[in-house]
């Protein structure tokens, strides 16, 4: 027996009855006009039938879906604004710059840990 694929709402917004994939999850792909193959590349668990159900829901409820997206964005903006300033200190950096900064911090921590390990080893042998 195959399950009928529907859009349901279990409190997270409209989602597939067959998974936790929401309408909002698919919206960016819908906007870009992505093919089913492109969508499955990023969300491989979706079937063609599930994608069709999601796309049809977006078509039929477009204004409601867009309004929900605006509300989600406004909520995230409010939450970001409520965070301390230091959490946004690197917002101006590109993804590449952030990755380079993280690599640098990781290397620094490893060097500090190795230095601490070396000092402990010397202390254990009465050399420190």
């Amino acid at each position: 027996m195959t399950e009928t694929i529907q859009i349901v709402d279990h409190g997270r917004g409209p989602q597939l009855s067959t998974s936790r994939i929401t309408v909002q999850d698919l919206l960016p792909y819908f906007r870009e006009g992505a093919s089913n193959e492109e969508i499955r590349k990023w969300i491989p668990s979706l079937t063609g039938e599930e994608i069709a159900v999601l796309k049809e829901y977006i078509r039929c409820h477009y204004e409601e879906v867009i309004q929900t997206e605006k509300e989600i964005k406004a909520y995230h903006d409010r939450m970001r604004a409520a965070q301390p300033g230091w959490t946004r200190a690197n917002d101006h950096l590109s993804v590449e710059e952030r990755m380079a900064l993280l690599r640098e911090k990781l290397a620094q921590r490893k060097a500090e840990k190795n230095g601490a390990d070396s000092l402990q080893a010397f202390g254990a042998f009465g050399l420190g």
Side-chain angles (χ1 to χ4, degrees):
M1 178 174 130
T2 58
E3 184 178 354
T4 302
I5 301 169
Q6 304 174 54
I7 299 295
V8 297
D9 191 339
H10 294 298
R12 299 176 51 228
Q15 71 181 55
L16 288 168
S17 59
T18 53
S19 75
R20 291 179 51 102
I21 302 293
T22 67
V23 169
Q24 292 298 323
D25 292 332
L26 195 76
L27 186 58
Y29 304 101
F30 180 84
R31 274 203 177 124
E32 302 250 336
S35 68
N36 287 9
E37 292 75 32
E38 291 171 306
I39 294 169
R40 275 197 299 269
K41 180 175 156 185
W42 295 103
I43 312 174
S45 62
L46 285 177
T47 66
E49 189 178 355
E50 289 171 324
I51 293 169
V53 168
L54 286 163
K55 284 182 174 180
E56 182 63 22
Y57 183 90
I58 292 170
R59 275 190 216 93
C60 292
H61 300 89
Y62 189 75
E63 293 303 319
E64 177 186 340
V65 170
I66 296 303
Q67 181 59 38
T68 299
E69 180 187 42
K70 288 177 184 175
E71 291 168 8
I72 291 168
K73 183 185 181 317
Y75 171 79
H76 287 162
D77 290 346
R78 283 193 311 275
M79 294 299 104
R80 254 193 292 314
Q83 293 174 343
W86 63 266
T87 64
R88 295 184 304 278
N90 295 328
D91 282 358
H92 64 285
L93 298 177
S94 69
V95 171
E96 292 80 17
E97 291 169 323
R98 289 180 192 200
M99 291 296 292
L101 185 60
L102 288 172
R103 282 189 201 100
E104 185 179 309
K105 286 182 180 181
L106 181 59
Q108 182 180 2
R109 285 187 183 163
K110 283 182 177 179
E112 288 170 1
K113 183 179 182 315
N114 289 340
D117 288 348
S118 296
L119 289 176
Q120 288 175 355
F122 283 125
F125 294 110
L127 301 173

